[in-house]
Amino acid sequence: MAQAEKKGGLLRKSSASRKPLKEKVVLMYDEIFTTEDPSKCNPRFWEELFLMKVNLEYLEGKLEALDGEELMKIKDNINCLFQHCIQALGEEHPIRVVNALQVPC
């Protein structure tokens, strides 16, 4: 079996017959970068996010790509991300703590 492609959050490149697969954490980051509250459809969104390994390259790229206007549109979600990072640091679950520490604040 071929090694999965992980560059830029993709698990495999797209082909004519297949859509590209993205890591679940990347899909969750994409939800943060919309104007909707990501926990609206999934009340456990933040708990699940910090159990997954951080894709720092993808997250930093998304943050750096935002201009001021785009940032203002999603500021509530960005503030929520950092608020939940801080809350995760106080938890006893070591994976959540380590993953919260890796989110660029």
Side-chain angles (χ1 to χ4, degrees):
M1 187 159 128
Q3 186 80 339
E5 177 70 37
K6 290 198 72 157
K7 187 158 178 87
L10 291 178
L11 292 176
R12 78 167 175 230
K13 294 183 179 183
S14 63
S15 67
S17 62
R18 295 181 178 179
K19 290 172 55 175
L21 282 178
K22 287 186 175 183
E23 296 175 74
K24 183 173 180 180
V25 72
V26 167
L27 294 172
M28 293 180 85
Y29 291 156
D30 287 345
E31 288 183 51
I32 295 169
F33 287 89
T34 65
T35 56
E36 292 290 319
D37 176 3
S39 63
K40 185 177 180 180
C41 294
N42 180 1
R44 296 182 45 92
F45 179 86
W46 298 108
E47 294 170 28
E48 292 174 12
L49 181 67
F50 293 109
L51 286 175
M52 289 184 261
K53 186 176 180 191
V54 175
N55 185 327
L56 196 55
E57 178 184 349
Y58 187 83
L59 186 57
E60 284 179 339
K62 290 289 278 190
L63 286 168
E64 290 172 359
L66 295 174
D67 64 26
E69 188 175 312
E70 293 170 324
L71 187 59
M72 291 308 292
K73 288 179 183 176
I74 63 164
K75 77 174 186 168
D76 290 339
N77 287 354
I78 299 297
N79 287 339
C80 251
L81 170 63
F82 295 125
Q83 175 188 358
H84 283 90
C85 268
I86 292 166
Q87 287 176 346
L89 292 175
E91 292 188 19
E92 291 183 22
H93 200 293
I95 292 174
R96 287 187 181 163
V97 173
V98 169
N99 289 337
L101 281 170
Q102 293 181 42
V103 174
C105 296

